[in-house]
Amino acid sequence: MRSRMLYLNLIMSLRCAIPWLLAGGAALSLIAAVPAFSAELGLDLPGRDTGVRPGDDFFAYANGTWVKTTDIPADRASWGADQIMAERVDSEVADLIQGVAAPAPQPGTEAAKIATYYAAYMDVTKIEATGTAPLKPELARIAAIGDRRELSAYLGSQLRADVDVMNATHLRTDNLFGLWVAADFNRPTVYAPFILQGGLSLPDREYYLSDAPRMIAIRDAFEAHIARILTLAGASEAEAKAKAERIFDLEGRIARVHASVSDSEDPAKGDNHWTRADLEAKAPGIDWTAFLPPAGLGAQATFVVWQPAAVTGEAALVAAVPLTTWKDYLAFHYIDRNSGLLPKAFVDEHFAFYSNTLSGVPVLTERWKRAVASTNAALGEAVGKLYVAKYFPPESKAAAEDMVRNLLAAFDRRIDQLDWMTPSTKAIAHAKLKTLKVGVGYPDHWRSYEGLEIAADDAFGNAQRAAVFDSRKKIAQLGQPVDRGEWVMNPQLVNAVNLPILNALNFPAAILQPPYFDAKAPAAVNYGGTGATIGHEISHSFDNNGAQFDAEGRMRNWWTPEDFAHFTASGAALAKQFDGYHPFPDLSVNGEQTLAENIADVAGLSAAYDAYRASLQGRPAPVLDGLSGDQQFFLAFAQSWRQKIREAALRQQILTDGHAPAQYRAETVRNLDAWYPAYDVKLGEALYLAPNDRVKIW
């Protein structure tokens, strides 16, 4: 995946209008925000800082002046190439939504659902007048829970298909458990249910366990936030404070049984098949007979329990913690996750903690941008149809598909040229590449939203029904044949993804447009920017996680011991390289946690460079604005990772995200031999690596 933060914004808006990581749109105008890209070259030459030697800090050389002269918009946690493009796409989508609303579409059609959902979200007058009334039925259900069996049944009713381990690397849910419906690792032709740990409001267990002063301050602010939310919902200050203490203590106990991010991203540690009897025996405390039917899993015989110790620990807490505390916890979580669909006081309080305190964002994003995100989450592919029809013409799709073919061919050649890999391992690697299913722009078949009720006067209910509709649709896939053409991203998302179990790729239309991809731009620029992204996603099939799956998506060891030892050693060297990056004196990048993405960056950039050179067909690359072809290529790559990010958001990313900070991803160039002569990088410069220390994996 190119960028997790943008994807999480979309996914989390399905459950909450202002998720803990949602940065929102930009306060700057689009015209002011777009860099001064050369129309001929497709690069922002004035944005460079040519006073910095490329060999000392290539990110600063490529982006330094832009960084110095650009402010992060007040309603953003970060700002850069991806966010600028996403801002434009959001504006285009808003225009499309308003366009379908103008002629009063026929009731029941997708156009009507899109227009109605967006309009209801924007109707703040109605939302203010309705107040907390939408909360009352569910809060009454929670209050009526009378024993552990009823608690188990309620917890099951709240299970949602709201996590994704290997596609979106979205591991977090504030429900007690999360559900991922995906191809079974052992039988990749059928869908299986994966059960994941959950139950936390803060981004990760470290926020509860760390003794760092900043984390202690965040915990204090979180407990105060709980009390304020409960007060807004009608509790007295004294009652809210007492409940907040109990809720906070319960979340701390949940955090102590959670697995780490690194362990949670390891498929070998997650592939644990449990029967129903195993659930009862290995995770007592929950009444699983009561839990499973309301979860939609009553007929399911086996489950993949991703973090066994966490599931066991959380189940034990269901029995150990007083019922009244669980009821307080559930009530708070229900109110908190839905704050964005309640009156302004709830919106402001949710923003103050999750965006301002956690990510350092000073200003709440405009409501229309939140409405776009929520509409995309609820009716994403219906909106995507509109977007593709207007903004992704057939010639753009054809040009992108041609580049994909070139990247696949380059990767195929690289496999042949590996002098350390044995023929038997190469044969399976070639087969995996040959069967890779690549989706460009949009899915082969569009999702249906038939049966999803959208009401003009019910923004709160619309979001609830959309979440349930989505989960039920995914749960209905269990035991059914796997559709390798299924997409996990909307066409209007600025991102890209590899689906390891499906051995498939999605390249949404929104990322295949200028300035990332422009058929009029030089080949070097297109291959350095979009080509590296395409190569990155192809390479995920061969990263430390993807390499554990064969061409059919089955998890098995298809390597010789010697080959795997070499591969593992190269990964360890890359992890050590990233461990050496210290954005703060007290916090460094976690090379193991970010290894899959870093392998994909190195391998993807290498394949993109090969594909670029092959595209020249032996001709010399044109020199443009004094830059050689190789210089254009590497500069395009570094500028594609252009970003400014607030300190709080960067700290959060380092602790919770499988992606390294953008500035260090740009430094991936130091592992490619061709970068050194292109920018005359010499021994003694900060990024210089001796040839034997440059990591070459694929």
Side-chain angles (χ1 to χ4, degrees), residues 325-507:
T325 298
W326 274 112
K327 291 162 72 170
D328 292 339
Y329 165 92
L330 291 169
F332 162 70
H333 275 248
Y334 182 69
I335 300 165
D336 197 44
R337 81 169 63 100
N338 291 298
S339 293
L341 296 155
L342 293 171
K344 186 175 183 297
F346 288 88
V347 173
D348 289 344
E349 172 55 34
H350 196 282
F351 164 78
F353 179 71
Y354 290 98
S355 293
N356 183 266
T357 299
L358 284 182
S359 297
V361 179
V363 174
L364 175 65
T365 190
E366 296 171 80
R367 190 168 186 92
W368 72 264
K369 295 175 185 175
R370 288 179 275 141
V372 166
S374 192
T375 307
N376 278 336
L379 294 152
E381 288 195 17
V383 177
K385 285 184 192 177
L386 303 175
Y387 183 81
V388 166
K390 183 164 185 179
Y391 293 107
F392 195 63
E395 53 268 28
S396 294
K397 181 178 175 69
E401 288 176 333
D402 185 58
M403 179 174 279
V404 169
R405 282 190 293 271
N406 292 342
L407 264 294
L408 288 169
F411 207 95
D412 205 45
R413 291 191 297 270
R414 291 189 71 82
I415 293 172
D416 278 331
Q417 293 164 6
L418 294 174
D419 57 8
W420 56 268
M421 184 175 283
T422 58
S424 61
T425 306
K426 284 184 179 182
I428 299 176
H430 280 303
K432 190 168 185 179
L433 199 64
K434 185 176 181 180
T435 58
L436 189 66
K437 182 174 177 56
V438 182
V440 173
Y442 48 87
D444 296 336
H445 50 84
W446 294 99
R447 178 180 181 180
S448 170
Y449 293 90
E450 184 177 356
L452 174 58
E453 178 191 351
I454 304 297
D457 60 350
D458 189 14
F460 189 96
N462 290 340
Q464 302 303 304
R465 287 187 292 274
V468 172
F469 179 84
D470 183 69
S471 276
R472 287 177 177 170
K473 197 171 188 70
K474 290 175 180 173
I475 289 171
Q477 295 177 313
L478 292 172
Q480 299 299 310
V482 166
D483 175 12
R484 292 186 64 227
E486 182 181 19
W487 274 49
V488 302
M489 287 184 168
N490 293 326
Q492 64 276 25
L493 183 66
V494 180
N495 214 330
V497 68
N498 179 292
L499 317 176
I501 315 175
L502 300 180
N503 197 26
L505 310 177
N506 296 169
F507 294 107

Side-chain angles (χ1 to χ4, degrees), residues 80-89 494 510-516:
D82 286 357
Q83 293 84 0
I84 290 168
M85 198 165 180
E87 172 88 349
R88 187 189 76 195
V89 171
V494 180
I511 201 171
L512 297 172
Q513 299 183 70
Y516 275 147

Side-chain angles (χ1 to χ4, degrees), residues 25-37:
L28 299 179
S29 72
L30 288 177
I31 294 174
V34 174
F37 283 96

